[in-house]
């Protein structure tokens, strides 16, 4: 018997061959596993894992006749915090190349089995993995309880003392430091880890993410480029490279990186969505449609599926004059909204699809009412960057005679002043508006105005009047809900707390407005997801301070 609790364990076996599935299920039962569920493929397994927890997941790495991969499933589950810390994940493969062994180690895989294997070998691997979970129990329990600081302290101590699994704990501690918004400390720890494991892709990517969190995009980019030169088939490296390139507004190169990541992991729903969304904004309609429609086949019922994909497909079908295609997406969005009737986000997506159908159906007035309604909410607390992109995309698709210039420009002004917090965001707004002259001019004007307000405030602060600078930034930020101005107001107030009488009130007021009206300011609809960390060791139950909300 593996351990005294193995009879209580619930296992999920993921294998496409009925015969091999039957043999493996018998092996698991013979070594004492109490309950064994089975799935024939990645899609079915993903849904089962989303619905209930398992103590053991035994998954094939390769699925004959399919682009799906067990590694993609594991990566995706961990990225989206769908795999409990206590779950043992065993990967089964027909061959173990050097790269596969390295990949398994970097993914912190619990066990890798090479077929053919014996029941004794399986029992040994499970016993080792379950022992590791128990050995790290104090760290994992703290994470599950939301005690991030306690988990960090325990992980660092185990790393420093070089106790069993100390390297894993060092990597975990570095990820927790990033989560706690301590990127400089994370960078120091990743540098130490690189000394222990020179050339480890996960450590290189961790160091790049720490630099990126500190705004050092050039250093982050060169670090990822080095990782890709050493390991060109690292999907995580391509993924992170794409994220950096988006921040640097090099959208064509970012699309190439996202495309590479998606092609390397054809069973990864998230990467297909990201490649499709960016292709949509860049204006590569055919490619965008191919990637986004692929997500439908990968799992429209999955929690990882983003309903925005349905609307982007509807817009692409609209551009092709495909009324039936638009209606199909409209019906799927309607069903989504019916499942979550309280979601204002899904209501907006549903209404947007209705507007597209109305335009193709010869009812432009009905479409105009919907477009005006969405644009009128540009200053609502829950109107985020995604809603702004949808509103801009709808206006750009309205028949020209229906768009009054003054009305259109006023909407562009409200959206531009609220969301022009970085060059990357401004460029995506321009792309969503299909780079029309009026939209480009208005958004560029807003971008310049926000930058001017910020620059003047910094000059005022450096000139000896930080109080006036903080107050002016707060007033401007409260007026238009611009996260850059609000964040700067809080930073100046905190930095000069000794010379500003009510610094704490100014900082708290700026933070309160951001919490209320600046949700996930860096979440570029369908592209950037702040909860993801390409190349990172994912920590279930722990999220960055600003998380992209799906519903």
């Amino acid at each position: 018997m593996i351990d005294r609790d193995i009879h209580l364990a619930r296992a999920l076996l993921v294998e496409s061959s009925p015969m091999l599935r039957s043999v493996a299920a018998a092996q698991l039962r013979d070594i004492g596993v109490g309950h064994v569920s089975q799935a024939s493929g990645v899609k079915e397994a993903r849904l089962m894992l989303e619905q209930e927890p398992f103590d053991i997941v035994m998954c094939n790495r390769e699925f004959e006749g399919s682009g799906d991969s067990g590694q993609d499933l594991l990566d995706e589950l961990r990225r989206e915090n769908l795999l409990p810390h206590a779950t043992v994940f065993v990967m089964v493969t027909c061959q173990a190349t050097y790269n596969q062994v390295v990949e398994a180690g970097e993914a912190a895989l619990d066990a890798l089995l090479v077929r053919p294997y014996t029941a004794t070998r399986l029992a040994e691997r499970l016993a080792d993995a379950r022992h590791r979970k128990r050995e790290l129990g104090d760290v994992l329990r703290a994470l599950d309880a939301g005690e991030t600081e306690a988990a960090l302290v325990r992980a660092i101590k185990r790393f420093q003392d070089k106790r069993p699994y100390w390297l894993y704990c060092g990597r975990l501690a570095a990820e927790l430091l990033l989560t706690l918004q301590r990127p400089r400390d994370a960078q120091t720890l990743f540098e130490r880890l690189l000394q222990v494991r020179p050339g480890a892709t996960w450590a290189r990517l961790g160091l790049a993410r720490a630099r990126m969190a500190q705004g050092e995009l050039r250093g982050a980019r060169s670090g990822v480029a080095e990782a890709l030169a050493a390991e060109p088939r690292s999907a995580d490296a391509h993924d992170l490279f794409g994220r950096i390139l988006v921040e640097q507004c090099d959208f064509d190169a970012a699309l190439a990186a996202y495309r590479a990541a998606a092609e390397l992991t054809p069973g990864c729903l998230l990467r297909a969505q990201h490649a499709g969304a960016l292709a949509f904004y860049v204006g590569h309609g055919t490619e965008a449609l191919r990637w986004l429609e692929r997500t439908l086949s990968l799992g429209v019922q999955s929690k990882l599926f983003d309903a925005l994909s349905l609307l982007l497909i509807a817009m692409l079908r609209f551009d092709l004059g495909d009324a039936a295609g638009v209606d199909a997406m409209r019906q799927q969005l309607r069903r989504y909204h019916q499942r979550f009737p309280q979601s204002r986000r899904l209501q907006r997506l549903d209404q947007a699809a209705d507007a597209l159908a109305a335009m193709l159906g010869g009812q432009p007035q009905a479409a105009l009412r919907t477009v005006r309604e969405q644009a009128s909410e540009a200053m609502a607390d829950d109107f985020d960057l995604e809603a702004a992109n949808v509103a801009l995309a709808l206006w750009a698709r309205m028949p020209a005679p229906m768009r009054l210039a003054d009305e259109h420009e006023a909407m562009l002004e409200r959206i531009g002043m609220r969301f022009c917090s970085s060059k990357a965001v401004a460029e995506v707004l321009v792309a969503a508006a299909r780079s029309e002259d009026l939209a480009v001019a208005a958004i560029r004007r807003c971008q310049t105005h926000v930058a001017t307000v910020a620059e003047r405030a910094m000059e005022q602060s450096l000139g000896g009047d930080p109080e006036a600078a903080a107050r002016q930034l707060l007033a401007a930020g409260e007026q238009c809900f611009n996260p850059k101005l609000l964040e700067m107001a809080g930073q100046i107030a905190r930095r000069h707390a000794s010379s500003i009488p009510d610094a704490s009130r100014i900082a708290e007021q700026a933070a309160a407005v951001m919490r209320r009206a600046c949700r996930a300011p860096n979440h570029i609809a369908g592209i950037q997801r702040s909860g993801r960390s390409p190349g990172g060791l994912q920590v279930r139950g722990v999220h960055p301070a600003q998380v992209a909300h799906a519903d």
Side-chain angles (χ1 to χ4, degrees):
M1 182 174 288
I2 293 176
D3 56 59
R4 64 183 183 183
D5 296 325
I6 191 65
H7 66 288
L8 301 175
R10 294 173 53 81
L12 174 61
L13 177 60
V14 191
E15 167 59 64
S16 57
S17 166
M19 183 187 72
L20 293 177
R21 200 162 60 240
S22 176
V23 171
Q27 288 176 325
L28 286 169
R29 293 190 184 100
D30 287 345
I31 61 180
V33 176
H35 180 85
V36 181
S37 297
Q38 301 180 29
S40 60
V42 166
K43 179 179 176 181
E44 182 184 357
R46 184 192 292 122
L47 291 173
M48 292 176 72
L49 287 160
E50 289 174 2
Q51 292 164 5
E52 58 181 312
F54 289 90
D55 303 292
I56 299 167
V57 178
M58 187 172 170
C59 180
N60 210 30
R61 190 181 191 281
E62 306 88 6
F63 289 83
E64 189 174 350
S66 167
D68 291 343
S69 159
Q71 189 66 52
D72 294 350
L73 174 65
L74 173 61
D75 292 344
E76 194 159 25
L77 292 169
R78 284 184 170 164
R79 272 195 304 270
E80 298 307 305
N81 297 295
L82 293 173
L83 199 65
H85 289 118
T87 299
V88 171
F89 199 106
V90 181
M91 195 78 74
V92 181
T93 181
C94 294
Q95 56 181 346
T97 65
Y98 173 77
N99 285 339
Q100 286 175 348
V101 173
V102 170
E103 184 181 53
E106 294 193 348
L109 189 64
D110 294 308
L112 179 67
L113 275 175
V114 182
R115 189 177 276 126
Y117 58 87
T118 63
T120 300
R121 186 61 170 159
L122 171 59
E124 289 172 351
R125 290 302 178 88
L126 279 178
D128 288 344
R130 285 170 68 86
H131 172 73
R132 174 173 171 269
K133 300 290 185 181
R134 289 193 297 273
E135 181 75 24
L136 298 174
D138 62 336
V139 178
L140 302 183
R141 282 191 298 272
L143 289 174
D144 287 331
E147 299 169 357
T148 310
E149 293 282 359
L152 174 62
V153 170
R154 293 169 189 173
I156 287 179
K157 182 149 189 355
R158 184 176 285 270
F159 172 72
Q160 291 174 335
D161 294 346
K162 293 195 174 181
R163 293 167 61 193
Y165 311 110
W166 63 278
L167 186 60
Y168 170 87
C169 285
R171 184 179 177 187
L172 174 62
E175 295 296 339
L176 291 175
L177 287 167
L178 280 176
T179 300
L180 293 169
Q181 298 183 355
R182 294 168 55 183
R184 192 171 298 280
D185 292 335
Q187 177 176 338
T188 300
L189 188 46
F190 275 122
E191 287 170 346
R192 287 183 62 187
L193 290 166
L194 268 172
Q195 291 173 0
V196 179
R197 289 288 186 272
T201 301
W202 59 264
R204 283 178 167 176
L205 298 185
L207 183 57
R209 288 185 292 115
R211 286 173 173 159
M212 187 178 177
Q214 297 173 76
E216 300 173 8
L217 293 182
R218 183 175 298 178
R221 180 170 179 169
S222 64
V224 179
E226 288 175 7
L228 280 170
E231 184 47 72
R233 292 188 59 78
S234 169
D236 279 332
H238 286 289
D239 206 352
L240 183 57
F241 201 45
R243 176 172 295 189
I244 294 169
L245 291 166
V246 165
E247 290 292 333
Q248 294 184 320
C249 299
D250 192 347
F251 290 164
D252 287 323
L255 176 57
Y258 278 131
R259 183 189 299 128
E263 288 173 347
L264 284 165
T265 55
C268 182
L269 188 155
L270 288 170
R271 286 186 172 130
Q273 284 181 156
H274 293 168
L278 186 53
F280 173 87
Y281 290 117
V282 171
H284 295 185
T286 301
E287 181 178 7
L289 195 57
R290 175 169 60 85
W291 283 118
L292 292 170
E293 290 192 333
R294 177 169 175 73
T295 68
L296 299 181
S297 63
L298 286 173
V300 72
Q301 297 301 320
S302 170
K303 291 178 183 177
L304 304 181
F305 182 83
D306 189 349
L308 176 65
S309 295
L310 296 172
L311 181 61
L312 296 184
I313 292 172
M315 288 185 178
L316 292 165
R317 288 295 177 189
F318 174 90
D319 295 342
L320 295 172
D322 181 1
V326 171
D327 191 60
M329 296 303 101
R330 178 186 173 210
Q331 295 305 319
Q332 291 215 48
L333 275 168
R334 181 66 43 82
R335 288 193 288 273
Y336 252 92
H337 187 206
Q338 288 170 351
R339 286 170 54 197
F340 305 99
Q342 302 305 315
S343 171
R344 180 62 185 125
R345 181 206 184 208
L346 290 177
Q347 184 182 17
R348 285 195 182 104
L349 299 182
D350 189 6
Q351 290 173 337
D354 285 345
L356 295 172
M359 280 187 265
L360 284 180
Q363 298 177 302
Q365 287 294 340
L368 183 60
R369 284 194 296 272
T370 297
V371 174
R372 279 175 169 163
E373 179 184 346
Q374 296 211 358
S376 70
E377 296 180 359
M379 296 307 292
D381 285 353
D382 65 350
F383 192 89
D384 59 9
L385 185 55
E386 176 185 277
N389 284 328
V390 169
L392 291 174
L394 285 176
W395 270 100
R397 285 166 172 77
M398 285 295 300
M402 305 291 294
R403 290 185 289 173
L404 300 178
D406 291 345
E407 183 181 22
H408 190 192
E409 192 163 7
M411 183 267 297
L412 288 165
E413 182 82 13
R414 289 194 298 273
I415 288 177
M417 285 304 299
R418 180 167 185 173
F419 295 103
C420 281
S421 57
S422 70
K423 186 178 178 183
V425 171
E427 292 305 314
V428 170
L429 292 173
V430 167
R434 305 180 94 177
S435 299
E436 293 184 342
D437 291 343
L438 181 64
V440 172
I443 292 168
R444 293 276 184 270
R445 192 163 56 247
C446 292
Q447 186 181 5
T448 300
H449 182 72
V450 169
T452 300
V453 171
E455 288 169 8
R456 286 175 180 169
M458 287 304 298
E459 289 172 1
Q460 200 167 20
S461 179
L462 293 172
D465 196 355
E467 181 178 1
R471 290 186 184 282
Q472 287 175 17
L473 285 167
L474 178 60
E478 285 183 317
Q479 183 178 14
C480 63
F481 294 160
N482 186 281
K484 177 178 180 177
L485 301 181
L486 291 164
E487 186 175 6
M488 285 185 66
Q491 287 175 345
I492 290 176
R494 288 189 294 272
R495 188 179 301 126
H496 300 277
S498 60
S499 59
I500 300 177
D502 56 350
S504 59
R505 185 194 64 79
I506 293 173
E508 176 50 37
Q509 194 169 337
V513 177
M514 287 193 69
R515 285 193 300 269
R516 192 186 83 232
C518 303
R519 302 175 186 178
N522 296 321
H523 175 207
I524 297 175
I527 304 172
Q528 304 287 53
R529 295 185 55 164
S530 56
R532 292 193 60 231
S533 299
L537 183 65
Q538 297 308 303
V539 185
R540 181 179 172 83
V542 180
H543 302 272
Q546 294 173 327
V547 184
H549 296 281
D551 293 327

